[in-house]
Amino acid sequence: MICLNKLTKRYGKTLALDGLDLTIGEGEVHGFVGPNGAGKTTAMRILATLLRPTSGDALVDGISVTASPREARARVGYMPDFFGVYDNLKAWEYLDFYAGCTGMAAKARRTRIDELLELTALAQKREAYVDNLSRGMKQRLCLARALMHNPKLLILDEPASGMDPRARAEMRDILKNVSDMGKTVLISSHILPELAQMCDHMTILERGHSVFSGTVEALERKMNANATLVIRLFETVEAERIEQMKAKIQALYGVQPEAAQENAWRLEAPEDAALDAQALGALIALGLPVCDFHREHATLERVFMEVTHDDQSDL
């Protein structure tokens, strides 16, 4: 559905996108992650035909955004991080206005508006003025606007920005329904746990190029290949038994555990569930009062900090 080929964008001396290559399949819910200045918004605006790249190209459903922007634009629904609403219109009037901008016939508009208000859980707010809607409702209304012309690709720049936890959960459910319709969804966000719950694939951008692209599960496996093993005892035991524990761990993993704090040790070794079970059984057989034995898996925030560097502004 999306193919970025050596996509490059310069703003004067600033290189926002540095020969970015990326392929996103049809029906994927794909997350863009990166610090400010990584190039997320720039890439999205190019895909939405709002910017022209300095060089390279982007294809949407096989259509070049540079050679055929009007044709590509018809396949894209775009919701920016900062959106405008007309406060003096009712919810249905707001959607009707944008439906008219697409050239949709009046009879078809009414049906489509009802469908979208139902999809975005705004059916009960049909007659409410936009000014009286909460921020979360306004964002859902703008999502409905982006879906008005039934695009194949939906691009959402920070869709959960400023939302409370309930509103974010509602948005997540709506996007799941959109995905079930077969649409490709591209989402950028700094709320990494939320993004992981929304997406099945993820690309991490750093200084205009990709440092990781793949499934969320693959990213977690990559970062947790050497997840730290934590061993904690309920109480202090004799030094001789501690040495027995260290020897047993050394024999199994080939690495000596290091003391982390009182009655606790840490071990850097590749994760192996069968070996971990064997080690735990061996420690219990030694009569050690083990109260905690687990792998310390990396969070997405930790992944983000390890593979990126912060900049000052989003491009």
Side-chain angles (χ1 to χ4, degrees), residues 7 19 34 66 98 122 164 184 186 213-214 242 308 315:
L7 197 63
T66 56
Y98 281 98
L122 290 172
D164 60 39
T184 303
L186 179 60
S213 189
I242 294 300
T308 65
L315 298 174

Side-chain angles (χ1 to χ4, degrees), residues 6-23:
K6 304 297 181 186
L7 197 63
T8 301
K9 179 64 178 179
R10 288 185 177 274
Y11 296 97
K13 295 182 179 180
T14 302
L15 185 62
L17 292 176
D18 185 13
L20 179 62
D21 289 318
L22 179 64
T23 300

